[in-house]
Amino acid sequence: MAFRKPPDGGWGWVIVVVSFFTQFLCYGSPLAVGVLYLEWLDAFGEGKGKTAWVGSLANGIGLLASPVCSICVSSFGARPVAIFSGFMVAGGLMMSSFAPNIYFLYVSYGIVVGLGCGLLYTATVTITCQYFDKRRGLALGLISTGSSVGLFIYAALQRELIELYGLDGCLLIVGALSLNILACGSLMRPLESSSSPPPEKMFVDKVPDQYFVYHEKEKTIEENISILEKGYIDEKSVNNVPDCKQDSILNKNTLSSINVNEKDTYKKKVVEQTNFCKQLAKRKWQLYLTYWKETMVLFKNKVFSALFVAILLFDIGGFPPSLLMEDVARSANISEDDYYMPLISIIGIMTTVGKLVLGILADFKWVNTLYLYVTTLLMTGVALFAIPFAKSYLTLAMLSGILGFLTGNWSIFPYVTTKTVGIEKLTHAYGILMFFAGLGNSLGPPIVGWFYDWTQEYNTAFYFSGFCVLLGGFLLLLAALPCWNACTNQSSKLPPNTYSYKVASNA
């Protein structure tokens, strides 16, 4: 189906507003899960590594399942997926209030809520891209801030709700708030196609030609039956003598001929359908082989291979602070009276600022986005190394702001990927990178938690996190040096794309 030209306005601005609030409502609680993490530690008495799996799954499962999310949106449309996912997010949050153990939370909060968020992100990005072309960057930038604003507000909101209604009441209320996603999803009106033929005609046009053969054969059978019946009636009217024996013989002959024709038609149907399935399976297999060949060509690019390692290590080391910073403050024996604002809220608001500032810098021609991204990685590693030395709320708040700002490098990651592999290979490469980013999101907090369970302090854990991010940054810097440009330019070109592979990234 060919969509008409994006209006770059009109109802598109309604789509931007509802997409902003959709990401605000769905990502607010998972990104601010650090507040709930403290309560789950006290409620279930499990280790920090085991408990951290809940938040890491909620934030990583959407990236890991991004190909599935894209297929769902492509097959059913953004509006139905958004409404269905709204029920998933709200239901998962409400079910989590009745969790008897940490394993129940893995499913209700980690998988159900996480998958719902992944579907909603894909739906909002897809429908926004349909409505905007010239202003697409602005529209996507506006809706991506919804998750960061949600992190800022939900961190304080969940803390207040826990004090007033307890952990279970907080999850029920937050789940009820998520039901507003249904109203937002209902406003995601699909962009009409440029030429939409009647549904009956569209359906007929999509039917392969061989299936009309079956219709003709069935029609032939019906005509034979009518001819036989007509001849029998004429013969009876001429003779004008009822003959029961002759009638039964003629009926038997008619039925036997019909059965033979039906059996032949059925056998031909089976053969043709079997051949059709074999051809379809062979074609799909060729597409998969082509996909893996193109993947191997991508990894021959040294910068892409380094970027793959960098994004994996960055999410393993850089994501845990947003989940564990509140527990770091509690472990440092910082009094709650010194809290002017939750540390997670500071991370959230500075992430919004970082996305905007880094996105603006990336638009300047004199700025090399790849080196800018490397700079954010190296600075993040240094900030992580500094966390063990922070013993007051003020220093932790400053480090939270720095880490939040640098985490805004998500806004320039598509630019970096495009510069590395080219616009024609962006979709393929971005899908691979986002999958491993989700893997890093899922593994990072549990690894840091296991370090704490092993050493009973966070110092070693954040030294490990800082080392991971610095290693990824240095590898990417080494691969991006100008001396490798000649090797990169000599990499073989990919064959023409014969498949469609869409993904979405987390904001």
Side-chain angles (χ1 to χ4, degrees):
M1 179 184 294
F3 292 102
R4 65 182 178 88
K5 185 179 178 181
D8 278 305
W11 191 260
W13 294 118
V14 178
I15 298 296
V16 169
V17 172
V18 298
S19 297
F20 172 88
F21 281 104
T22 297
Q23 293 199 19
F24 170 85
L25 292 167
C26 74
Y27 277 109
S29 181
L31 289 177
V33 73
V35 177
L36 304 175
Y37 172 75
L38 298 177
E39 302 299 322
W40 287 329
L41 284 174
D42 297 335
F44 300 114
E46 299 287 353
K48 295 182 185 291
K50 185 180 291 187
T51 307
W53 270 110
V54 181
S56 62
L57 283 174
N59 287 279
I61 200 73
L63 288 175
L64 289 172
S66 56
V68 177
C69 297
S70 297
I71 291 172
C72 292
V73 175
S74 300
S75 302
F76 304 106
R79 178 191 281 174
V81 170
I83 294 174
F84 175 77
S85 303
F87 281 112
M88 287 186 66
V89 174
L93 290 169
M94 292 180 180
M95 285 193 301
S96 299
S97 65
F98 302 101
N101 51 55
I102 199 70
Y103 302 104
F104 187 91
L105 285 173
Y106 289 164
V107 178
S108 62
Y109 197 98
I111 297 178
V112 177
V113 175
L115 187 57
C117 290
L119 288 168
L120 284 168
Y121 183 85
T122 307
T124 54
V125 169
T126 300
I127 196 166
T128 302
C129 290
Q130 290 175 1
Y131 270 87
F132 289 89
D133 183 16
K134 296 179 181 179
R135 301 177 180 175
R136 183 174 295 170
L138 173 62
L140 291 175
L142 289 173
I143 69 171
S144 68
T145 58
S147 58
S148 301
V149 175
L151 169 59
F152 172 71
I153 294 178
Y154 268 75
L157 176 63
Q158 291 184 146
R159 179 189 291 273
E160 191 67 23
L161 290 175
I162 289 172
E163 292 179 358
L164 294 175
Y165 305 105
L167 176 61
D168 297 342
C170 170
L171 289 170
L172 283 173
I173 294 173
V174 172
L177 288 175
S178 299
L179 289 172
N180 289 287
I181 296 173
L182 305 180
C184 295
S186 64
L187 295 174
M188 294 181 183
R189 186 172 65 194
L191 191 64
E192 296 177 357
S193 58
S194 56
S195 58
S196 55
E200 294 81 8
K201 186 177 180 181
M202 289 174 61
F203 177 77
V204 172
D205 290 342
K206 291 181 180 179
V207 179
D209 294 338
Q210 62 264 30
Y211 290 101
F212 290 104
V213 178
Y214 309 148
H215 176 70
E216 294 296 331
K217 291 179 181 178
E218 292 172 0
K219 183 177 178 182
T220 304
I221 294 173
E222 293 175 358
E223 289 177 351
N224 290 338
I225 294 173
S226 63
I227 291 172
L228 289 171
E229 288 179 349
K230 184 178 179 181
Y232 172 66
I233 292 172
D234 292 342
E235 186 177 351
K236 281 190 70 175
S237 61
V238 172
N239 295 336
N240 212 6
V241 178
D243 190 348
C244 296
K245 187 174 181 181
Q246 184 179 0
D247 182 55
S248 62
I249 293 173
L250 184 58
N251 285 336
K252 288 181 179 179
N253 292 334
T254 302
L255 292 174
S256 62
S257 64
I258 293 172
N259 290 334
V260 171
N261 289 335
E262 287 181 346
K263 289 180 180 179
D264 292 341
T265 303
Y266 177 75
K267 289 179 180 179
K268 291 180 179 179
K269 283 183 182 179
V270 173
V271 172
E272 291 183 11
Q273 289 178 351
T274 302
N275 291 334
F276 176 76
C277 292
K278 287 181 178 179
Q279 293 295 327
L280 182 62
K282 184 178 179 180
R283 182 169 176 269
K284 292 293 183 181
W285 178 248
Q286 291 297 329
L287 292 179
Y288 286 127
L289 289 179
T290 304
Y291 173 80
W292 288 113
K293 289 178 181 178
E294 294 173 351
T295 302
M296 296 304 297
V297 172
L298 280 175
F299 277 100
K300 292 180 180 179
N301 185 332
K302 292 181 175 61
V303 179
F304 177 81
S305 299
L307 191 62
F308 147 74
V309 176
I311 190 64
L312 177 63
L313 294 177
F314 172 73
D315 280 278
I316 289 176
F319 177 66
S322 63
L323 176 62
L324 304 173
M325 193 61 81
E326 296 294 329
D327 193 43
V328 171
R330 187 169 70 170
S331 301
N333 297 320
I334 296 176
S335 174
E336 293 186 1
D337 297 334
D338 296 334
Y339 266 72
Y340 301 102
M341 183 186 295
L343 297 175
I344 298 180
S345 294
I346 297 174
I347 293 176
I349 196 64
M350 290 305 296
T351 300
T352 305
V353 176
K355 287 179 179 179
L356 295 175
V357 173
L358 293 174
I360 293 172
L361 287 175
D363 287 333
F364 288 110
K365 295 181 179 179
W366 52 270
V367 174
N368 187 310
T369 53
L370 184 58
Y371 290 150
L372 178 62
Y373 185 75
V374 170
T375 302
T376 61
L377 294 183
L378 299 178
M379 293 177 66
T380 300
V382 174
L384 289 170
F385 271 114
I387 289 179
F389 300 98
K391 301 299 180 183
S392 65
Y393 172 81
L394 181 60
T395 53
L396 283 175
M398 292 176 62
L399 288 173
S400 298
I402 293 171
L403 287 170
F405 180 86
L406 296 172
T407 305
N409 62 6
W410 273 103
S411 64
I412 64 173
F413 191 72
Y415 289 85
V416 176
T417 309
T418 305
K419 183 178 178 63
T420 303
V421 301
I423 189 65
E424 70 280 358
K425 309 172 190 176
L426 175 63
T427 304
H428 187 179
Y430 203 66
I432 297 172
L433 295 174
M434 285 302 100
F435 176 84
F436 286 99
L439 185 63
N441 272 350
S442 301
L443 294 177
I447 290 175
V448 172
W450 288 331
F451 268 107
Y452 183 92
D453 294 336
W454 179 37
T455 61
Q456 294 303 308
E457 43 88 15
Y458 274 117
N459 294 351
T460 306
F462 282 103
Y463 290 148
F464 169 79
S465 297
F467 173 77
C468 287
V469 178
L470 283 176
L471 177 61
F474 278 120
L475 288 175
L476 184 56
L477 177 62
L478 180 64
L481 291 176
C483 60
W484 297 109
N485 288 341
C487 299
T488 303
N489 293 332
Q490 292 175 0
S491 60
S492 58
K493 292 184 178 180
L494 289 175
N497 287 340
T498 54
Y499 59 90
S500 176
Y501 188 76
K502 297 179 181 178
V503 296
S505 65
N506 196 356

